[in-house]
Amino acid sequence: MTDMRAFRDAITGWAAGGPGGPAGELAGRLRVRTAVLLEGPSDVAAVEVLAARHGRDPESRGVCVVSMGGAMNVGRFAGLLGPTGLGLRLVGLCDEGEQGFYQRGFERAGEPLDGIFVCAADLEDELIRALGVPRVEEIVRAEGDLPAWRIFVRQPAQQDRPPHRQMRRFLGTKKGRKIRYGRLLTEALDPDRVPAPLQALLRHL
């Protein structure tokens, strides 16, 4: 795992304008064959939890799960890691509004589009709908965030939103909350309730 973290760090440095040599050397040494391109760390947390629950260790399969720091960076990462770069197979999970970024990035890198899996709104929305708001509220209560949630839903701006959209917005109101709950909500999923985009991504690895 430490080596794969080093590879992720090397990728991030390369994408920021640093040398590509360290990433290339680590890719060969670790026998990396697939890069999963995700928008941010909350998506990484969910994918890693789901893979572990299904008995799949991404590192042992030569899979590196990458946080790109935003969907608009997909073209840069796809170019460096895909067929025109390190030659890795690319897989992506994105929000509905980001699908165009992913498609253009994959196309420019020469990667087929069948490895892009799209969440209806975003990953948090998929997880909330799969679990149901009452179950998510139980998790919020267990985490000590119920008072903050109750204050949040009383805000005027939330009054006309359905509960699942309120919860989705709440998870993004505090730094680090989406990452924490991305992991917690994924851990709480029943095996037969895993959202379709996550299931499809896992089968594709």
Side-chain angles (χ1 to χ4, degrees):
M1 186 63 73
T2 301
D3 285 342
M4 195 61 82
R5 287 196 188 100
F7 179 55
R8 282 197 290 259
D9 290 343
I11 292 170
T12 301
W14 189 15
E25 189 276 329
L26 283 166
R29 179 155 60 84
L30 298 173
R31 298 183 181 180
V32 181
R33 60 179 183 82
T34 301
V36 182
L37 302 183
L38 304 175
E39 178 184 358
S42 62
D43 306 295
V44 171
V47 169
E48 289 182 340
V49 165
L50 187 64
R53 287 187 61 187
H54 284 75
R56 299 188 181 189
D57 174 21
E59 183 173 350
S60 69
R61 293 170 172 260
V63 176
C64 182
V65 183
V66 181
S67 171
M68 300 183 297
M72 288 186 290
N73 294 324
V74 66
R76 175 67 171 160
F77 279 83
L80 295 178
L81 302 178
T84 58
L86 292 184
L88 306 182
R89 185 173 66 112
L90 302 178
V91 178
L93 180 74
C94 66
D95 302 348
E96 191 173 47
E98 299 164 351
Q99 187 173 0
F101 293 122
Y102 271 70
Q103 288 177 338
R104 290 189 292 273
F106 275 45
E107 285 173 346
R108 286 197 297 269
E111 182 72 22
L113 302 184
D114 61 357
I116 300 172
F117 304 99
V118 183
C119 298
D122 58 20
L123 179 57
E124 288 73 30
D125 183 71
E126 293 277 2
L127 293 171
I128 292 165
R129 286 190 290 108
L131 289 165
V133 173
R135 178 69 182 104
V136 178
E137 284 184 337
E138 291 176 4
I139 298 168
V140 168
R141 180 184 294 109
E143 289 297 299
D145 287 330
L146 192 61
W149 162 245
R150 287 175 172 166
I151 292 170
F152 177 80
V153 297
R154 289 199 296 268
Q155 295 176 0
Q158 303 305 318
Q159 298 308 302
D160 294 330
R161 289 179 174 170
H164 79 277
R165 289 187 61 196
Q166 292 175 337
M167 183 62 77
R168 175 187 168 207
R169 181 71 186 91
F170 173 72
L171 296 184
T173 56
K174 183 178 179 181
K175 185 176 181 180
R177 184 177 280 161
K178 284 179 69 172
I179 302 171
R180 179 160 55 99
Y181 279 96
R183 182 175 299 278
L184 290 168
L185 299 188
T186 306
E187 288 173 344
L189 288 170
D190 291 331
D192 60 348
R193 298 290 294 174
V194 176
L198 277 174
Q199 282 277 32
L201 183 147
L202 192 64
R203 288 196 297 266
H204 209 71
L205 297 183

